[in-house]
Amino acid sequence: MNTVFESIIDGIVAEGYGVADNFLTQEEVTALASRLHDRRGAGQFRAAGIGNQQKMVQNTIRGDEILWLDEASATPEEAAFLQRIAEFVQYVNQTCYLGLRDYEFHYAVYPPGTFYKRHLDQFRSDSRRKLSVICYLNADWQESDGGQLAIYLPEADHQTERQIMVTPVGGRMVCFESGRLEHEVLPATRERLSVTGWLKTG
Ligand code: OGA
Ligand code: MN
């Protein structure tokens, strides 16, 4: 796992983002996707909101449904996921001195045709979110299914930007600087599943 962590960190240091396959095994992806479906079937998901309090639901901006993970009611596979994140946080703190103290994660489901318009993950009123992390839970995702994460990278001249595309294949993890990199989720033809969260300072 340390080589996976290392490749993500190398990417963040060089370009502000890192992508790694096999952050989760296919077994972990399948198990988390089933827990997600169990919980969604039990009516535990809500339309995601925008802004710090997540009070405004506006599906012209984002159309996903989410459920926050909670250590206290985590299933064994959810607890194992949060443990992997805790190890990653420890690794980041040992190599990058970001002073991460906390993390928060939610499941996300994007029904077909929904999207999340270009945005930044840090709130103007709260800069504790340092790194955004997305782990995809999609089996057999094809390029033609859509749903890419587009990340906008400012060029050194600060005038132009470059766009990179991440396909949301199961087991893949993407991590980027929450306060710096704008990004968007493109619509997909299939339901798009992930666990998404933030590594925060105190
Ligand atoms: C988010 C987000 C990206 C993705 O939830 O803030 O940008 O690929 N998600 O799901
Ligand atoms: Mn985002």
Side-chain angles (χ1 to χ4, degrees):
M1 195 44 64
N2 272 13
T3 57
V4 173
F5 292 173
E6 203 178 305
S7 72
I8 298 164
I9 294 302
D10 287 349
I12 292 170
V13 170
E15 299 219 76
Y17 80 98
V19 183
D21 290 328
N22 309 312
F23 183 82
L24 300 176
T25 65
Q26 287 314 306
E27 291 73 31
E28 290 171 321
V29 167
T30 307
L32 283 168
S34 324
R35 295 296 79 74
L36 180 158
H37 284 126
D38 295 345
R39 291 185 180 281
R40 190 153 178 251
Q44 295 176 5
F45 278 61
R46 294 287 173 269
I50 54 175
N52 207 346
Q53 307 292 321
Q54 300 229 334
K55 285 214 174 102
M56 277 176 299
V57 172
Q58 211 159 322
N59 59 15
T60 52
I61 296 177
R62 68 185 293 189
D64 56 329
E65 293 173 30
I66 65 167
L67 172 66
W68 289 96
L69 291 182
D70 166 25
E71 307 258 4
S73 58
T75 65
E77 38 283 276
E78 291 164 352
F81 171 79
L82 293 170
Q83 180 57 35
R84 180 81 37 84
I85 294 297
E87 287 160 18
F88 182 62
V89 165
Q90 195 180 12
Y91 187 89
V92 174
N93 279 336
Q94 282 162 0
T95 52
C96 295
Y97 312 103
L98 281 181
L100 301 177
R101 302 264 311 268
D102 197 10
Y103 50 84
E104 56 188 4
F105 275 81
H106 63 59
Y107 283 123
V109 177
Y110 287 79
T114 61
F115 49 80
Y116 193 162
K117 290 285 192 204
R118 182 170 172 163
H119 66 281
L120 204 60
D121 283 348
Q122 217 174 58
F123 303 114
R124 253 174 295 247
S125 57
D126 180 352
S127 61
R128 284 176 299 171
R129 289 177 169 185
K130 296 302 176 211
L131 293 176
S132 303
V133 172
I134 304 116
C135 299
Y136 299 108
L137 305 180
N138 305 301
D140 305 317
W141 195 271
Q142 304 298 315
E143 202 62 43
S144 56
D145 294 328
Q148 286 86 358
L149 167 66
I151 304 179
Y152 298 90
L153 301 175
E155 298 280 19
D157 64 6
H158 297 288
Q159 307 295 313
T160 50
E161 64 182 11
R162 199 153 55 85
Q163 189 192 47
I164 66 117
M165 293 286 195
V166 181
T167 301
V169 301
R172 178 169 287 171
M173 186 264 227
V174 50
C175 182
F176 55 86
E177 291 176 25
S178 308
R180 204 166 71 82
L181 296 186
E182 294 191 354
H183 55 281
E184 77 176 292
V185 178
L186 302 178
T189 56
R190 286 172 55 183
E191 189 174 78
R192 179 190 190 273
L193 313 180
S194 62
V195 195
T196 296
W198 294 276
L199 313 186
K200 302 162 71 174
T201 51

